[in-house]
Every structure is written in C-alpha cells, then in structure tokens.
Amino acid sequence: MTKPSLFRQLSTFAQTIVQEAVHSRLILTCMVVFAVGVGLALFLGEIAITETRQIQSGILAAFLRIAIVFILTLFTISSMVRDINDNTVLIYLSLPLKRSVFLLGKFSGYALVAFCLCILAACMLVLFSPLSNVWPWVISLFLESLLVVVFGLACALSFVNIPAAFAAVTGFYFLSRSIGAVVLMAHGPMVTSDSIGDSIMTAFVEGLAFLLPALDRFTRSEWIMHGQANPVEWSTIIPQTIIYLLLLFSVALFDFYRKNF
C-alpha cells in the first residue's frame, strides 16, 4: 500500500476541519454576527450628516475585522484543545504520519475556514463600498487571520486550556494592533523626563514593537472608505506575514514535538 502524497494528507486534514466548521454551525454563526454588523452600520450611518456610505462601510469593516479574529481564535483553540483532550491526536500520530505534516494539515484547514469567512465578509462589504476598495482590505484581513490562527494553534498546544489560550491570543492581537500608538506616546511631547526609569520603559516599548507584528498597518478601515491602499503599505504587510507565519509555526512545531502524548 503506497503512502498518500503530502498534498493528499494536507487536503484530508483541511476537509476534516471544514466539516467540523460546518457541523459546529460556524458559518451560520458568522452570518448572524455579520448581519448584526450590517444592521449596526445602517443604524449608525443614518446619524451621519455627510459621507453616509463611507461611514457605514468603515463601521462595518471595523466590526467584521474584530468579529472574524475572535471567531477564528475561538474555533482554532477549541478545535485543537478538543483533539488533545479526546486523544484524537494519538489516533493520528499512531499512523505513519509526521507531526509536522499533522500540524501543517491542521493549519491548512483553519486557513481555509479563514478564507471562507473573509469571502463572506467581502460579500457584506460590497453592499456599501466598491469592489476595488474591498479586495485589498479582504486580502489583508486574510493575512492577518493567518497570523491569528497560527498563534492560536501555538497557544492551544502550549496551554491545552481554552480560556488561557484565548486570553494569550487576545493580548497578542490587541498589543500588536496598538504597539504603534504606544511607541508614539513613549516618544511624545508629554514625556519630558530623562530619568533612568523612563529610558528603560522607552527601550522596553521599542523592543516590544520590534518583536511584535505591526497589525495596525493591516486591514485599515480607510482602505474601505477611501480606497487608499498603496504599494508602500503592502511592502511591509507581506514580508511581515511571511516572517511571523514561519516564526510562529516553528514555535508551535517545536512545542508539539517536545510533548509526549
């Protein structure tokens, strides 16, 4: 009996994850949440005096971004923790299957689910914004979702606890989104003291900004509102995505190999 090809193995894992998303009614849940976002955008847009469409699209884009990140995080972590607690991982590892292929297959499935959610978000946004403004935003959201998924996978393997892993991913995400503003405040005009403590704090903030991905440059609402995505922004988004995907997946793989199931 010949061993299945790598593509066949990865596609099998991806199909399993998609089936799990369907059975858990993830897509239906997302549609309900997205419909709430559309209703919120319509309601708040009526309050605006000018540029109603731009404001509605910006509100909906911000809502969908947060919703997709949180839904994907919960789905990834709960799915992986359940596989560990139910000893499903042991069943897979009893087969002639490398741990790296198993982890890459799981990530491929979660990435496919993220792609489906991003497409669904795009269908909502084209109701308020031109397609030329929507597609760069959606591509950036997909790249951002990949980073969240792979970090959620690493946290699920490390903590094997849904609340702890979810808290870690949430902290990572919001800190990555706000670290640019934190750096600006550390160097702002309000900081006038030259004490050693302030210098240490500034150096710490700069070091943290160097280590974290600059998610504040990803998936910006003004792209939807005014279509201002430019090549300079993409020249930082794409390399960061590749680097952090490889780094975070390596961390998850290292933790997975050192575990004795």
Side-chain angles (χ1 to χ4, degrees), residues 73-99:
T73 299
L74 281 173
F75 176 70
T76 301
I77 293 173
S78 61
S79 173
M80 196 65 199
V81 170
R82 182 169 55 251
D83 284 350
I84 295 174
N85 292 334
D86 294 345
N87 294 325
T88 306
V89 175
L90 289 176
I91 298 175
Y92 283 116
L93 296 182
S94 65
L95 302 173
L97 181 70
K98 294 182 179 180
R99 294 195 178 196

Side-chain angles (χ1 to χ4, degrees), residues 22 52 65 76 99 134 136 152 173 198:
V22 173
T52 300
R65 182 184 185 185
T76 301
R99 294 195 178 196
V134 171
Y173 178 74
D198 288 339

Side-chain angles (χ1 to χ4, degrees), residues 154-182:
C155 290
L157 289 171
S158 298
F159 297 106
V160 197
N161 181 277
I162 295 177
F166 181 75
V169 177
T170 302
F172 165 80
Y173 178 74
F174 282 113
L175 189 58
S176 298
R177 282 193 59 174
S178 60
I179 192 64
V182 175

Side-chain angles (χ1 to χ4, degrees), residues 6-18 97-112 153 249:
L6 177 61
F7 177 79
R8 179 69 179 273
Q9 291 174 332
L10 295 181
S11 62
T12 300
F13 277 110
Q15 182 180 1
T16 303
I17 297 298
V18 172
L97 181 70
K98 294 182 179 180
R99 294 195 178 196
S100 57
V101 175
F102 170 80
L103 203 61
L104 185 60
K106 299 287 283 187
F107 173 73
S108 301
Y110 298 136
L112 185 57
L153 198 60
F249 187 81

Side-chain angles (χ1 to χ4, degrees), residues 101-259:
V101 175
F102 170 80
L103 203 61
L104 185 60
K106 299 287 283 187
F107 173 73
S108 301
Y110 298 136
L112 185 57
V113 173
F115 177 78
C116 295
L117 297 188
C118 291
I119 294 299
L120 184 59
C123 295
M124 298 290 181
L125 283 170
V126 293
L127 301 174
F128 301 92
S129 185
L131 183 60
S132 58
N133 294 358
V134 171
W135 72 262
W137 186 90
V138 171
I139 292 176
S140 179
L141 177 62
F142 177 64
L143 298 179
E144 181 178 334
S145 300
L146 293 181
L147 295 179
V148 173
V149 164
V150 72
F151 189 69
L153 198 60
C155 290
L157 289 171
S158 298
F159 297 106
V160 197
N161 181 277
I162 295 177
F166 181 75
V169 177
T170 302
F172 165 80
Y173 178 74
F174 282 113
L175 189 58
S176 298
R177 282 193 59 174
S178 60
I179 192 64
V182 175
V183 172
L184 289 177
M185 287 188 291
H187 292 279
M190 299 298 294
V191 181
T192 57
S193 175
D194 294 328
S195 65
I196 297 177
D198 288 339
S199 300
I200 294 175
M201 184 59 66
T202 301
F204 173 76
V205 169
E206 290 177 347
L208 200 60
F210 178 77
L211 294 175
L212 292 173
L215 293 184
D216 55 328
R217 300 180 182 179
F218 286 63
T219 325
R220 303 174 67 172
S221 296
E222 55 262 34
W223 298 353
I224 290 289
M225 299 172 67
H226 308 293
Q228 293 178 348
N230 58 65
V232 176
E233 293 169 321
W234 286 105
S235 65
T236 61
I237 290 174
I238 295 177
Q240 281 194 74
T241 303
I242 296 173
I243 292 171
Y244 282 98
L245 273 179
L246 294 176
L247 178 62
L248 294 173
F249 187 81
S250 299
V251 171
L253 191 62
F254 173 80
D255 192 41
F256 192 44
Y257 266 100
R258 74 179 180 84
K259 286 185 177 297

